[in-house]
Amino acid sequence: MRKHLLALGATLALSPCLLAQKIGVINSMSGPEAPIGENITNGIKLAEEDLKKKGINLQLVWEDDTGKPQISMSAMEKLATRDNVVGVVGPYTSACSNAVAKLAEKYRVPLLIPAAAKEEITRQGLKHVFRMNAPADQYASSLIDAAVSLGKPKTIAFVYENTDFGTSTTKTAKDYVAKKGIQVVADEPYPKGAADYRSTLAKVKSKNPDLVFMVSYVADAILLMRQSKEVGLQPQAFLGAGAGFTTVEFAKERAISESVISCTQWTNDVNWPGAKEFGARYKAKFGKEPTYHAACAYASMVIMAETARNAGGDRAKTREGLKNGKWNGVMGEVKFADYDGFTNQNNHQMLVQQILSGSYETVLPSQFATKKAVYPFPKWK
Amino acid sequence: MAVFLQSLISGILIGGVYALIGIGLTLIFGVMRVVNFAHGDIMMVGMYLTYLLFTILGIDPFVSVLISFPLMFLFGGFLQKTFINRVLSAVAQNQILLTIGLGLVMSNTVMLIFTSDYKILTTSYSSSTIQVGGGVSISTPLLISFLITAAITAALGWFLLKTDTGQAIRATSQDRDAAQLMGINVKRMSIIAFGLGSALAGTAGALISPTYYIFPQVGGVFTLKAFVITVLGGMGSVVGATLGGVLIGITESMSAVYISSGWKDVVVFVLFLLVLLFKPSGLMGKSRT
């Protein structure tokens, strides 16, 4: 009997493929960011299913950071030291990711961030931090490029929440419009969760901007658009940078969301391998449309698990694997490269979309377009 | 000028709803000397009640006040009778811990039932406006809720000033022991006061739900707001709370326009500190020795 056990033990030790790959997940599963966090959770669950089918034995250690950086950091400490995971996928928000990134470097744990936008996260030369999604500068430049190609905007107003995500996106957007010769006429950061933005929007309206650029999470996006309608803010285009402007809840509010332009990391109508199927499966399993966060999380988990498996559960080798690897899946071509001051950043192609007849349609870049853009923004009814 | 008028109007209207939240809190404090840290969460319960009535029975949020007001009254009375009454003579820390605990239980129970998803009530008038001219518009739902608030405040004033029960509540809030010696059932008055306070918070929740969003943690924001309003107006003063609410609404709105939206909370708190500095008992408060 003992001989058998020894033999079994030896086989297990010699074939790391058979051992479970222990991978940590940090996500905002409760708290104010939970509605988007849910997409990430579901994306990872689908990835887990698919990896099992491929014979990859996965053991996920879930940590809920409730959207707070300090909790995120203690989760990372726990995963790195107590749970001894090979790598970590997450967290969701920029503030959490930025805090956790430095810890990942300290403990030498490969960290793959699926959907946080703040640029600095991959701009501080951290060797163990990888990012799937395009950073905030891409949000801004792709949206502004879209507006410039559609019309001749001369002035722009910024309305954004004063969080890491909001200020970082707006800062790069301001630098970018300066290059394009568009004048900034209003710059309004707001504290998240206020009940009344009417006065801010009335002030923006009085400057009569050609473009209104907004950055906010889900519920504020609806509130901001409702109140824009109330005060009669009428620009050539409303540009919503990701997050709240790319959710199904937002699209459902047809009276205020129609013709709003936003950008996204992913839609289910692109021709990336498996993207359409992913969208359909997600909807069948969870009963809702996935947001780009779900696709980012799915792709991140698949890449992390496969790389960890190939590296035999070794952290250093997993890092090498991520650094040198190349993938093609639901997020298109993925490669973690160093460019423009970024380290381990996937140079991801952003998509510009517009809500037309209540659903998101890709309008730019033209090779992925499903509909022609409506420009300028139609008069409020 | 249009921007000034616009922000003044929306400041006053949103201030009306703030006032309603503040009045509830000040009433509870006045009668029981208990600072109710669960006030925002009671308001959140009112919001979910409105949401349920709207989605299941299709009752308009403003009409649903007629149902949610008595229900929230019973809920508040229940809280008072089963929990708060036990700590009336306890030290202040214990009262605070109890109400914070109650708030946590409420928000987490709601989260278990409804998940943490944001709920948005969309009515036919959610983003409709009345054009006043000169580019100034008034949000229809906000105007209706302001009118309802005004009516409720007036009714409450009449109740407190003219009815026997109202006078007994006021007597209890002036001097609990003396009121008891005069034959007033202070325990019952406490239950009525807590019930009224909760009903007002719940109503504020109902009134704000067509224009705001609903989620289990929404209470925290409004608890803080209610405190500032109550202390600013003078603890225990209904008139003060009304004044405080409208003042805060206008300050928020004006500072968003003339300073910066990011700084409006700072302006509100600076104003708050100034009032405390120069009139520690609040605008309408009388210092108690």
Side-chain angles (χ1 to χ4, degrees):
Chain A
M1 186 63 196
R2 180 172 283 178
K3 233 178 203 171
H4 281 118
L5 274 179
L6 267 177
L8 186 69
T11 339
L12 280 176
L14 288 172
S15 52
C17 317
L18 289 175
L19 280 178
Q21 302 301 325
K22 215 175 190 186
I23 294 175
V25 178
I26 309 176
N27 185 20
S28 308
M29 292 186 264
S30 61
E33 260 49 88
I36 291 180
E38 186 191 307
N39 281 279
I40 293 182
T41 304
N42 293 346
I44 290 175
K45 280 188 181 153
L46 278 184
E48 199 181 2
E49 268 178 23
D50 289 1
L51 289 162
K52 283 242 163 75
K53 272 183 220 151
K54 280 191 201 165
I56 297 182
N57 202 354
L58 204 59
Q59 187 194 343
L60 296 182
V61 187
W62 294 86
E63 290 287 341
D64 178 10
D65 68 12
T66 71
K68 293 195 184 98
Q70 64 272 31
I71 300 181
S72 222
M73 285 170 80
S74 59
M76 186 70 194
E77 299 243 1
K78 224 159 73 184
L79 290 171
T81 55
R82 199 190 67 187
D83 296 318
N84 240 337
V85 297
V86 192
V88 174
V89 174
Y92 164 49
T93 64
S94 285
C96 290
S97 298
N98 201 30
V100 162
K102 294 180 186 85
L103 276 181
E105 191 74 358
K106 183 179 152 198
Y107 291 113
R108 300 170 169 274
V109 179
L111 172 71
L112 179 45
I113 296 169
K118 187 178 178 165
E119 282 166 61
E120 288 89 279
I121 295 169
T122 45
R123 266 213 164 141
Q124 38 201 356
L126 301 177
K127 291 200 183 71
H128 292 79
V129 179
F130 298 81
R131 175 157 49 186
M132 171 65 63
N133 63 307
D137 62 333
Q138 284 291 319
Y139 283 65
S141 58
S142 60
L143 275 173
I144 288 157
D145 282 342
V148 170
S149 74
L150 292 169
K152 287 192 183 58
K154 288 193 182 57
T155 53
I156 188 165
F158 291 98
V159 181
Y160 54 101
E161 59 173 55
N162 54 1
T163 57
D164 270 4
F165 172 49
T167 43
S168 164
T169 309
T170 309
K171 190 172 161 286
T172 42
K174 273 188 247 171
D175 295 344
Y176 196 76
V177 292
K179 276 186 231 154
K180 293 274 164 184
I182 301 172
Q183 194 199 344
V184 179
V185 289
D187 181 9
E188 297 291 334
Y190 68 82
K192 194 175 161 181
D196 184 24
Y197 303 111
R198 293 175 187 85
S199 46
T200 305
L201 293 166
K203 185 179 167 190
V204 170
K205 184 192 169 196
S206 71
K207 303 279 166 58
N208 200 19
D210 292 337
L211 300 174
V212 174
F213 189 102
M214 293 177 176
V215 193
S216 58
Y217 288 104
V218 57
D220 285 326
I222 295 174
L223 226 53
L224 279 167
M225 286 308 296
R226 265 190 192 166
Q227 297 182 2
S228 294
K229 182 180 182 220
E230 281 180 22
V231 302
L233 182 57
Q234 185 78 57
Q236 286 177 21
F238 281 103
L239 307 174
F245 291 89
T246 58
T247 55
V248 187
E249 287 85 6
F250 183 71
K252 264 197 298 199
E253 299 291 314
R254 294 193 49 178
I256 47 111
S257 65
E258 189 67 14
S259 300
V260 171
I261 297 173
S262 60
C263 60
T264 184
Q265 311 270 354
W266 182 87
T267 63
N268 58 8
D269 54 20
V270 286
N271 53 9
W272 297 330
K276 218 176 244 99
E277 293 76 9
F278 175 78
R281 272 180 60 206
Y282 188 101
K283 204 176 169 194
K285 191 167 163 78
F286 303 109
K288 321 181 186 182
E289 296 274 345
T291 63
Y292 70 76
H293 310 87
C296 287
Y298 174 86
S300 300
M301 182 46 80
V302 168
I303 288 175
M304 180 60 96
E306 287 182 354
T307 314
R309 199 263 314 255
N310 295 340
D314 182 75
R315 283 181 185 169
K317 280 191 201 146
T318 306
R319 194 198 77 81
E320 301 260 294
L322 287 173
K323 184 75 204 166
N324 302 322
K326 212 173 166 188
W327 298 265
N328 198 8
V330 295
M331 288 296 287
E333 280 182 16
V334 174
K335 191 176 171 350
F336 300 106
D338 300 344
Y339 65 95
D340 291 350
F342 287 110
T343 330
N344 303 338
Q345 171 66 51
N346 176 26
N347 196 352
H348 181 67
Q349 166 75 58
M350 290 288 281
L351 306 163
V352 175
Q353 55 182 5
Q354 189 171 30
I355 300 175
L356 297 167
S357 316
S359 61
Y360 287 103
E361 301 288 351
T362 310
V363 290
L364 282 167
S366 41
Q367 71 262 34
F368 299 120
T370 50
K371 284 250 170 81
K372 209 175 161 313
V374 170
Y375 194 96
F377 190 80
K379 283 248 174 297
W380 288 113
K381 279 185 214 95
Chain B
M1 195 59 196
V3 178
F4 176 81
L5 278 179
Q6 180 76 64
S7 53
L8 183 69
I9 290 171
S10 53
I12 293 173
L13 294 185
I14 200 89
V17 182
Y18 289 172
L20 202 56
I21 309 168
I23 293 171
L25 189 69
T26 215
L27 204 63
I28 292 172
F29 177 80
V31 173
M32 271 157 289
R33 305 281 128 186
V34 168
V35 181
N36 178 21
F37 278 87
H39 204 66
D41 295 297
I42 293 176
M43 176 181 168
M44 178 270 304
V45 173
M47 287 171 116
Y48 273 94
L49 196 60
T50 313
Y51 174 78
L52 278 182
L53 288 171
F54 181 72
T55 45
I56 296 175
L57 302 173
I59 301 174
D60 184 274
F62 292 131
V63 180
S64 73
V65 169
L66 293 173
I67 301 167
S68 58
F69 193 91
L71 281 180
M72 291 305 291
F73 181 86
L74 292 177
F75 180 61
F78 163 77
L79 287 180
Q80 167 69 25
K81 203 168 160 53
T82 31
F83 301 104
I84 314 284
N85 255 339
R86 295 169 195 272
V87 296
L88 277 186
S89 48
V91 286
Q93 295 93 300
N94 287 0
Q95 301 176 340
I96 292 172
L97 286 175
L98 176 72
T99 51
I100 291 180
L102 283 175
L104 283 175
V105 171
M106 279 182 238
S107 60
N108 285 289
T109 310
V110 168
M111 195 159 82
L112 271 179
I113 302 172
F114 293 95
T115 74
S116 58
D117 281 2
Y118 290 96
K119 308 271 186 248
I120 305 247
L121 276 186
T122 306
T123 54
S124 53
Y125 50 78
S126 265
S127 42
S128 71
T129 49
I130 302 163
Q131 293 298 329
V132 190
V136 180
S137 60
I138 298 176
S139 157
T140 318
L142 217 51
L143 181 68
I144 301 174
S145 61
F146 184 82
L147 294 177
I148 295 177
T149 303
I152 290 176
T153 317
L156 183 73
W158 173 83
F159 171 76
L160 289 176
L161 289 173
K162 301 289 177 199
T163 62
D164 285 350
T165 320
Q167 285 176 345
I169 288 178
R170 278 167 54 224
T172 314
S173 92
Q174 274 168 12
D175 192 326
R176 206 179 168 81
D177 296 331
Q180 193 154 22
L181 289 174
M182 293 296 136
I184 292 173
N185 185 345
V186 291
K187 278 215 161 141
R188 181 182 295 158
M189 291 311 130
S190 303
I191 293 173
I192 294 177
F194 207 95
L196 269 180
S198 305
L200 291 174
T203 307
L207 293 181
I208 208 166
S209 52
T211 49
Y212 199 60
Y213 39 78
I214 307 165
F215 62 102
Q217 277 83 21
V218 72
V221 184
F222 290 99
T223 304
L224 185 67
K225 211 146 249 166
F227 275 115
V228 175
I229 291 163
T230 320
V231 179
L232 186 77
M235 302 282 275
S237 157
V238 173
V239 184
T242 316
L243 194 69
V246 176
L247 200 63
I248 297 238
I250 296 174
T251 313
E252 275 187 356
S253 186
M254 286 292 171
S255 48
V257 171
Y258 295 103
I259 301 169
S260 161
S261 335
W263 284 84
K264 69 180 184 185
D265 285 345
V266 178
V267 178
V268 167
F269 286 115
V270 167
L271 173 84
F272 181 53
L273 284 178
L274 286 177
V275 169
L276 285 185
L277 213 57
F278 293 106
K279 203 164 182 313
S281 56
L283 293 175
M284 305 301 276
K286 295 176 196 81
S287 51
R288 205 176 278 264
T289 44

